[in-house]
């Protein structure tokens, strides 16, 4: 493996951080590295809010499901899909009454993918500097309150958060599905995925038993069944449409 691949293969989520601040120069380098990710048609339809204020981080920790590491990390990044900036940039070039498609499903997907690609670039950059990161999907738990707290405008929504800081404790690396479960050849092969589930269940059972000293041993497939049958953040569609997104 080359050094880049080795860095990627070392990734693990970090939830315990030292209180050493992330220097402004390094934070800007991390975000700049994120900006070099691929972006559809060069739209760069994302923004990131760096939260370091103690009171704000506390409020966000509550809104994300009382996740203490949101408050304890030195800097919490909120990655946003941002079509507002595009609308502003285009406004001076539109004919009177000319409509845009910032509210389309395609624009929504483009902005969301752009934000995810930039964030992952930034995550790898941060890890290469010795920092740990943890993605926080809980930013969408109470997304309306987060939006108000951070003064996020229309045509923008917070996709996820990211804790960054120097790890204060080592964390285990969760096993991933085998490559054969996700790599198909020429066409999608449903049987390939199904054939790997049993082996991965065994792997995850061993991992959970080791990590929890025998307290947990639920197979991955059962955890996924519980995830799929649990209504989760069903308010999102109404919220997004109210912000001018996903209307067609």
């Amino acid at each position: 493996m080359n050094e880049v691949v080795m860095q990627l293969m070392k990734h693990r989520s970090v939830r315990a951080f030292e209180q050493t601040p992330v220097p402004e120069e390094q934070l800007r380098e991390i975000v700049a590295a994120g900006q070099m990710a691929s972006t559809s048609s060069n739209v760069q339809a994302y923004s990131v809010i760096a939260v370091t204020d103690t009171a704000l981080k506390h409020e966000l920790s509550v809104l994300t499901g009382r996740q203490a590491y949101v408050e304890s990390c030195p800097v919490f990044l909120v990655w946003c899909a941002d079509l507002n900036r595009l609308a502003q940039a285009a406004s001076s070039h539109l004919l009177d009454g000319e409509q845009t498609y910032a509210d389309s499903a395609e624009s929504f997907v483009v902005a969301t993918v752009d934000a995810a690609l930039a964030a992952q670039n930034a995550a790898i950059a941060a890890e290469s500097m010795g920092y740990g990161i943890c993605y926080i999907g809980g930013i969408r738990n109470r997304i309306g309150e987060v939006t108000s707290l951070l003064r996020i405008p229309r045509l923008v929504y917070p996709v996820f958060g990211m804790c960054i800081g120097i790890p204060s404790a080592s964390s285990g690396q969760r096993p991933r599905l085998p490559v054969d479960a996700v790599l198909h050849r020429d066409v999608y092969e449903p049987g390939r995925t199904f054939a790997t589930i049993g082996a991965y269940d065994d792997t995850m059972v061993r991992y959970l038993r080791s990590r929890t000293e025998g307290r947990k041993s639920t197979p991955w497939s059962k955890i996924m069944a519980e995830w799929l049958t649990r209504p989760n953040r069903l308010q999102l569609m109404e919220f997004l449409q109210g912000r001018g997104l996903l209307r067609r």
Side-chain angles (χ1 to χ4, degrees), residues 23-102:
E24 178 67 15
E25 181 180 356
Q26 286 192 321
L27 176 60
R28 294 181 70 87
E29 286 180 1
I30 288 167
V31 174
Q35 288 184 269
M36 294 309 297
S38 296
T39 169
S40 180
S41 300
N42 201 35
V43 296
Q44 304 173 73
Y46 59 87
S47 291
V48 57
I49 303 168
V51 182
T52 56
D53 179 81
T54 303
L56 271 179
K57 285 194 297 176
H58 172 73
E59 291 188 64
L60 287 169
S61 73
V62 173
L63 295 175
T64 56
R66 299 193 179 279
Q67 299 186 67
Y69 30 96
V70 171
E71 182 174 3
S72 64
C73 68
V75 60
F76 184 65
L77 301 184
V78 180
W79 292 90
C80 301
D82 186 349
L83 292 160
N84 181 279
R85 183 169 57 242
L86 296 186
Q88 289 188 51
S91 61
S92 62
H93 303 282
L94 299 177
L95 301 175
D96 289 344
E98 187 176 7
Q99 68 172 339
T100 73
Y101 291 89

Side-chain angles (χ1 to χ4, degrees), residues 8 11 34 79 115-125 127 133 135 160 162:
L8 291 166
H11 168 72
W79 292 90
L117 293 175
Q120 186 60 14
N121 254 31
I124 301 305
E127 289 176 337
I133 71 102
Y135 281 96
F160 44 70
M162 179 190 290

Side-chain angles (χ1 to χ4, degrees), residues 13-15 17 67 69 76 132-136 161-164:
S13 294
V14 172
R15 295 178 175 86
F17 301 95
Q67 299 186 67
Y69 30 96
F76 184 65
I133 71 102
C134 185
Y135 281 96
I136 306 295
M162 179 190 290
C163 299
I164 297 182

Side-chain angles (χ1 to χ4, degrees), residues 7-234:
Q7 180 67 58
L8 291 166
M9 298 297 284
K10 291 191 297 184
H11 168 72
R12 59 203 65 204
S13 294
V14 172
R15 295 178 175 86
F17 301 95
E18 295 181 5
Q19 292 308 297
T20 307
V22 177
E24 178 67 15
E25 181 180 356
Q26 286 192 321
L27 176 60
R28 294 181 70 87
E29 286 180 1
I30 288 167
V31 174
Q35 288 184 269
M36 294 309 297
S38 296
T39 169
S40 180
S41 300
N42 201 35
V43 296
Q44 304 173 73
Y46 59 87
S47 291
V48 57
I49 303 168
V51 182
T52 56
D53 179 81
T54 303
L56 271 179
K57 285 194 297 176
H58 172 73
E59 291 188 64
L60 287 169
S61 73
V62 173
L63 295 175
T64 56
R66 299 193 179 279
Q67 299 186 67
Y69 30 96
V70 171
E71 182 174 3
S72 64
C73 68
V75 60
F76 184 65
L77 301 184
V78 180
W79 292 90
C80 301
D82 186 349
L83 292 160
N84 181 279
R85 183 169 57 242
L86 296 186
Q88 289 188 51
S91 61
S92 62
H93 303 282
L94 299 177
L95 301 175
D96 289 344
E98 187 176 7
Q99 68 172 339
T100 73
Y101 291 89
D103 61 353
S104 72
E106 172 64 8
S107 294
F108 174 84
V109 170
V110 164
T112 302
V113 170
D114 264 15
L117 293 175
Q120 186 60 14
N121 254 31
I124 301 305
E127 289 176 337
S128 76
M129 297 175 181
Y131 295 109
I133 71 102
C134 185
Y135 281 96
I136 306 295
I139 204 77
R140 302 187 302 277
N141 286 356
R142 295 163 66 178
I143 193 168
E145 292 167 83
V146 169
T147 297
S148 296
L149 180 67
L150 300 180
R151 303 177 189 173
I152 295 173
R154 284 175 60 79
L155 295 177
V156 184
Y157 86 97
V159 185
F160 44 70
M162 179 190 290
C163 299
I164 297 182
I166 297 174
S168 63
S170 60
S171 55
Q173 188 177 52
R174 185 172 301 180
R176 297 300 198 241
L177 283 159
V179 172
D180 284 341
V182 299
L183 178 61
H184 301 261
R185 304 288 183 174
D186 296 323
V187 296
Y188 192 100
E189 305 167 87
R192 173 183 295 275
T193 296
F194 186 77
T196 61
I197 292 174
Y200 185 58
D201 275 346
D202 292 341
T203 298
M204 284 301 296
V205 165
R206 290 193 296 271
Y207 165 77
L208 287 173
R209 282 176 177 163
S210 174
R211 179 178 174 178
T212 65
E213 298 181 341
R215 293 189 301 275
K216 293 182 180 179
S217 60
T218 309
W220 176 80
S221 58
K222 183 172 181 6
I223 295 171
M224 293 304 100
E226 294 169 351
W227 186 85
L228 281 173
T229 55
R230 182 175 66 246
N232 195 21
R233 301 171 186 146
L234 297 183

